[in-house]
Amino acid sequence: MLVGGLEVRNNLCLAPLAGITTLSVREFFSKLGAGLTHTEMISCAGLIRNNDKTNDMLKVSENEAPLVVQLFAHDEYTLTAGGECVLKSGYSYGALGINMACPMPKVTRSGSGAALLRKPDIAAKMVKGLKSLGLPVWVKIRRLEDDNDTLQFIDGLVMAGADNVCIHGRTCAQRYEGTADRNITALAAMRFPGIISASGDVKAVSDIQEYLSFGCAAVMLARGAISDPFLFEEYRGIYRTHEEKLQELIAFGMRAKEYAGEHKAVVMLKRFAGCMLRYTRGSAELRRLAGLSTSLAELIEILGRGY
């Protein structure tokens, strides 16, 4: 199907997650059936300075689903220059993304992330500048306090050329607390058909189906993907045994070790440990032990006790 100017195998996607959507994690979710994935937020200022750590975040695997590189900056000049660096990197991306949703002060105080929700003129110019580089442009936003303000903001993005706008149904002030408002997503999907994707409190197949019933072009899994990575398969009617899920996680841990070393592989695998252990006998103790584990072999052994 076609979503936001990209051909994808389905409309359930992996949202950008800071510190999480690294290359090995994106490969893992691509294997589980994600229609599309995102990089972490990548600083355009870091790309312009040719920062090695920032450049490493651009790496792409041939085993990934279509990939959106998500960028952040405070103005159109920095953003467009960062986008040009992406195109010169030699890596292939399906679309260029703009983060206008991150609520954390270390991002917003520079005028980036959710701070742009209060600057619709600059936000529209950023979309227009990035669009000039020739790839589809995807934007991730949060809802504003007033629904009409949110719709007007989206209108400016669409008029500037945005191919997809993903709405997280919490305000900047809420950060990640409370409940995501689905009403604004439904209103936006009705007003901008084929343009709106949804994010926020997607924890079950029924949540995905509800967002799609609004007319959303796609649904983004964020924290819901960490609590249950196999939701991607369940959405497509694929159900694995507990042992099969364990084997997939072990394979992910080994792949992550190849890419990033054992320490980072352990940290990443721990994020998914709760999914494997929450319904097992003695889960509280097993989760405690998993949290204390320091080696990949030890963590895998603890996960293995869960079946």
Side-chain angles (χ1 to χ4, degrees):
M1 60 180 63
L2 193 67
V3 176
L6 296 177
E7 287 189 7
V8 297
R9 55 185 168 177
N10 63 66
N11 51 7
L12 184 58
C13 308
L14 179 65
L17 291 162
I20 296 177
T21 49
T22 58
L23 192 154
S24 57
V25 171
R26 299 194 307 265
E27 268 196 353
F28 175 55
F29 282 105
S30 295
K31 185 178 180 181
L32 294 181
L36 175 145
T37 66
H38 287 76
T39 67
E40 302 175 76
M41 286 196 310
I42 298 178
S43 166
C44 286
L47 292 175
I48 294 167
R49 292 194 302 268
N50 199 31
N51 180 277
D52 288 341
K53 185 176 180 180
T54 307
N55 289 337
D56 282 344
M57 297 171 73
L58 292 175
K59 291 180 179 178
V60 177
S61 163
E62 62 182 15
N63 300 318
E64 294 188 64
L67 179 61
V68 178
V69 55
Q70 189 176 73
L71 306 172
F72 74 96
H74 68 284
D75 62 33
E76 67 270 30
Y77 306 108
T78 307
L79 180 72
T80 304
E84 291 172 344
C85 292
V86 170
L87 297 185
K88 294 175 182 176
S89 69
Y91 296 111
S92 178
Y93 299 95
L96 300 171
I98 312 172
N99 184 288
M100 300 185 185
C102 181
M104 304 311 292
K106 66 179 181 180
V107 173
T108 58
R109 61 171 162 251
S110 69
S112 304
L116 291 165
L117 297 174
R118 301 297 179 185
K119 302 173 182 179
D121 292 340
I122 292 176
K125 289 178 181 177
M126 293 172 80
V127 171
K128 188 174 182 179
L130 211 55
K131 184 74 172 181
S132 70
L133 300 182
L135 288 179
V137 172
W138 287 44
V139 188
K140 191 167 191 292
I141 70 169
R142 285 174 171 257
R143 75 174 181 92
L144 286 85
E145 294 287 351
D146 182 84
D147 285 351
N148 286 327
D149 289 343
T150 306
L151 294 173
Q152 288 179 16
F153 186 85
I154 296 170
D155 187 59
L157 301 178
V158 174
M159 291 294 289
D163 296 274
N164 186 276
V165 178
C166 179
I167 304 173
H168 182 108
R170 291 178 175 84
T171 64
C172 180
Q174 282 182 281
R175 296 192 183 181
Y176 302 100
E177 302 299 326
T179 303
D181 185 316
R182 300 190 179 189
N183 180 62
I184 184 57
T185 306
L187 290 173
M190 186 181 302
R191 182 172 297 192
F192 307 100
I195 298 289
I196 303 301
S197 291
S199 177
D201 296 342
V202 185
K203 302 175 182 177
V205 171
S206 59
D207 296 319
I208 301 166
Q209 293 171 335
E210 181 177 4
Y211 276 126
L212 292 176
S213 73
F214 298 155
C216 292
V219 177
M220 302 285 179
L221 274 179
R223 288 181 293 172
I226 305 305
S227 61
D228 185 5
F230 298 95
L231 186 55
F232 281 95
E233 292 191 329
E234 292 167 13
Y235 169 61
R236 297 182 294 122
I238 299 171
Y239 298 91
R240 293 177 182 261
T241 65
H242 195 77
E243 184 174 357
E244 288 172 336
K245 291 180 179 180
L246 174 64
Q247 293 304 317
E248 284 294 343
L249 286 179
I250 291 173
F252 160 70
M254 299 306 293
R255 187 68 165 163
K257 181 180 177 179
E258 289 180 23
Y259 281 132
E262 181 163 12
H263 174 72
K264 289 185 178 179
V266 169
V267 171
M268 287 188 283
L269 188 55
K270 282 181 181 181
R271 295 183 185 276
F272 301 114
C275 168
M276 288 301 301
L277 299 174
R278 67 185 156 189
Y279 299 123
T280 59
R281 181 178 299 177
S283 64
E285 176 62 12
L286 288 176
R287 291 171 77 176
R288 185 187 73 82
L289 292 173
L292 294 173
S293 60
T294 57
S295 73
L296 192 58
E298 181 184 8
L299 181 55
I300 289 172
E301 188 276 328
I302 293 167
L303 286 172
R305 298 185 207 174
Y307 72 94

